[in-house]
Amino acid sequence: MQFAKRLDPLQFNVFADMDRAKAQARAAGQKVIDLSLGSSDLPAAAHITDAIAHSLSDTSTHGYLLFNGTRDFRDAAAIWYEQKFGIAVNPETEVLPLIGSQEGTAHMPLAVLNPGDFALLLDPGYPSHAGGVHLAGGQIYPMPILAENAFLPIFEDIPAAVLAQSKMMVLSYPHNPTTAIAPVAFFEKAVAFCREHQLVLVHDFPYVDLVFDDRNSGLEAAGIEENRKLMAPSIFQADRDKSVAIEFFTLSKSYSMGGFRVGYAIGNSELIAALRQVKAAVDFNQYRGILNGAISALTGPQDTVRTSVETFRKRRDAFVNALQGIGWQVPVPPATMYVWAKLPEPWAQDSVKFCTQLVETTGVAASPGAGFGKSGEGYVRFALVESPEILEAAVRKIAEFLN
């Protein structure tokens, strides 16, 4: 068979390679500690699953669900957003349900790019951001984000010839994989830049709640500002009239609903309408019962969100302390559910080899930085999806491997 050429840039998938390496390790008798996937191991709260369970016996929820049938969910999303950020949202024209935020990042390029147009993406960045551009026939200009620049892109480094062909920029903070947080001042600069160059500004925002309160952990000395400790900013704090931006949210991280595949977009009404057109050609919405659970999550008690954040903070501290205890110095992540670690020699420029040999030898699985882009080479990402005890056991195995 002959397949479309658009599949060619999608053939390299380091995460599929790691999945095979994990399977081989298990087949060889290794007990795998899987720190490679950012899928929360915490359960969804009972009031969420109760709402979904109750829906199952309601036969009116069993049919196709079109846009107008999602109004209750869109209302809940708009209210949640306004309560958190103090910015009003029109649920009819500025909110769109999604099958996870990844659907938004993968489909938005189809609404914005013509073949050959450039999208400006973070490097390293989340793989679906690039995948959507490839499917739309676009070109990618990777914006390197480096530790010395606080993992923020330098807009002035983008060539004028690339800007002339660019239609969109994709940002995502708190950032996967580097764990960096962007301040409002950076977003203001990004909005001004996109207005000047007539770019659509996409902000992928899955880790909106996974920000750690580190006022008592010594992070002040590391330069973490007070207003960056308790809340990650929304792009609309810099684009209050929603002139150029769209922002993607998910319930996967805050509410441990990854498998339910539910998220939403908030943004410029024209961008929402364009994405809705793409979505209408691809799929219907989720089962209504899942949206009922999502409504319960957004409008119900938020104590489980705070508990989840505290759980990941304790895991972060245990894992970072254990790594530092074996001589692997890593920065303390201010947000997300990951640790982004610079690789020691002799793997400093071969993250894939490090990760494949690590899982084969010890059963500890991690994500190679190269899988997130060229600028991710030399790093490894660990997901904090196990208990502190298991994370500390993983570090002991890593120490044996390094020695």
Side-chain angles (χ1 to χ4, degrees):
M1 294 183 182
Q2 292 186 351
F3 295 98
K5 292 181 179 179
R6 69 176 59 89
L7 293 183
D8 293 345
L10 305 179
Q11 289 180 4
F12 174 72
N13 187 327
V14 71
F15 300 105
D17 294 342
M18 283 304 303
D19 196 45
R20 285 190 290 271
K22 286 182 287 185
Q24 291 169 359
R26 290 188 179 99
Q30 288 282 5
K31 182 178 180 181
V32 172
I33 301 177
D34 194 352
L35 309 182
S36 66
L37 295 178
S39 179
S40 176
D41 60 314
L42 303 179
H47 66 278
I48 297 172
T49 54
D50 287 347
I52 298 172
H54 180 74
S55 300
L56 291 171
S57 59
D58 179 0
T59 58
S60 70
T61 69
H62 293 182
Y64 289 128
L65 183 60
L66 302 181
F67 179 78
N68 287 332
T70 67
R71 179 60 193 250
D72 289 346
F73 173 71
R74 287 182 280 119
D75 283 342
I79 291 169
W80 177 92
Y81 182 88
E82 184 169 358
Q83 289 176 342
K84 191 171 187 72
F85 294 105
I87 299 170
V89 175
N90 185 330
E92 189 63 27
T93 61
E94 296 179 338
V95 182
L96 183 69
L98 298 172
I99 305 175
S101 64
Q102 182 165 325
E103 184 206 348
T105 59
H107 285 164
M108 196 70 225
L110 292 171
V112 174
L113 300 179
N114 289 314
D117 289 340
F118 271 98
L120 311 175
L121 306 185
L122 299 178
D123 176 20
Y126 191 62
S128 79
H129 300 170
V133 176
H134 288 310
L135 290 176
Q139 301 186 73
I140 293 171
Y141 179 80
M143 299 184 292
I145 54 174
L146 308 174
E148 53 262 38
N149 298 321
F151 294 112
L152 301 174
I154 306 301
F155 300 141
E156 293 79 8
D157 290 345
I158 303 170
V162 170
L163 275 176
Q165 299 181 66
S166 297
K167 292 291 181 64
M168 66 184 292
M169 175 189 290
V170 181
L171 302 175
S172 184
Y173 292 96
H175 185 248
N176 176 15
T178 69
T179 80
I181 299 175
V184 173
F186 168 78
F187 282 154
E188 290 171 344
K189 183 176 180 180
V191 168
F193 185 84
C194 288
R195 284 174 178 160
E196 178 184 357
H197 296 284
Q198 297 182 308
L199 304 174
V200 170
L201 178 52
V202 175
H203 185 229
D204 194 14
F205 204 12
Y207 301 97
V208 53
D209 292 308
L210 275 178
V211 180
F212 305 118
D213 183 355
D214 288 306
R215 285 174 291 186
N216 299 314
S217 72
L219 277 189
E220 295 91 339
I224 304 299
E225 300 168 6
E226 181 68 22
N227 67 352
R228 289 172 59 183
K229 291 174 185 169
L230 300 179
M231 181 183 291
S234 164
I235 199 67
F236 299 114
Q237 291 174 261
D239 185 20
R240 288 185 172 268
D241 58 357
K242 305 182 188 74
S243 63
V244 295
I246 188 168
E247 194 160 59
F248 296 130
F249 298 83
T250 179
L251 280 76
S252 297
K253 311 302 181 183
S254 300
Y255 300 98
S256 301
M257 294 180 69
F260 295 93
R261 307 311 306 134
V262 56
Y264 54 95
I266 288 177
N268 173 279
S269 59
E270 292 180 274
L271 293 175
I272 291 290
L275 183 56
R276 181 181 167 188
Q277 283 183 278
V278 173
K279 184 176 177 64
V282 174
D283 60 63
F284 292 108
N285 293 286
Q286 301 92 320
Y287 167 55
R288 189 188 299 270
I290 289 177
L291 291 190
N292 288 342
I295 292 168
S296 183
L298 294 171
T299 62
Q302 301 297 300
D303 55 319
T304 56
V305 178
R306 292 186 288 271
T307 299
S308 294
V309 174
E310 180 62 13
T311 296
F312 283 113
R313 188 191 65 78
K314 290 178 179 178
R315 293 176 178 186
R316 176 203 68 175
D317 291 348
F319 192 66
V320 169
N321 288 338
L323 284 177
Q324 292 178 345
I326 66 170
W328 193 345
Q329 300 301 315
V330 298
V332 180
T336 77
M337 55 198 297
Y338 309 109
V339 169
W340 183 241
K342 196 169 183 61
L343 283 166
E345 296 292 348
W347 298 279
Q349 291 302 317
D350 199 342
S351 58
V352 173
K353 185 176 181 180
F354 172 84
C355 288
T356 53
Q357 290 189 354
L358 179 67
V359 71
E360 289 170 2
T361 305
T362 69
V364 176
S367 291
F372 299 94
K374 182 179 178 181
S375 295
E377 184 56 278
Y379 287 85
V380 60
R381 191 198 74 177
F382 298 100
L384 303 170
V385 293
E386 295 284 359
S387 68
E389 294 75 19
I390 293 178
L391 291 171
E392 289 167 346
V395 174
R396 289 194 291 271
K397 289 176 175 288
I398 291 170
E400 295 172 3
F401 175 75
L402 293 176
N403 292 329

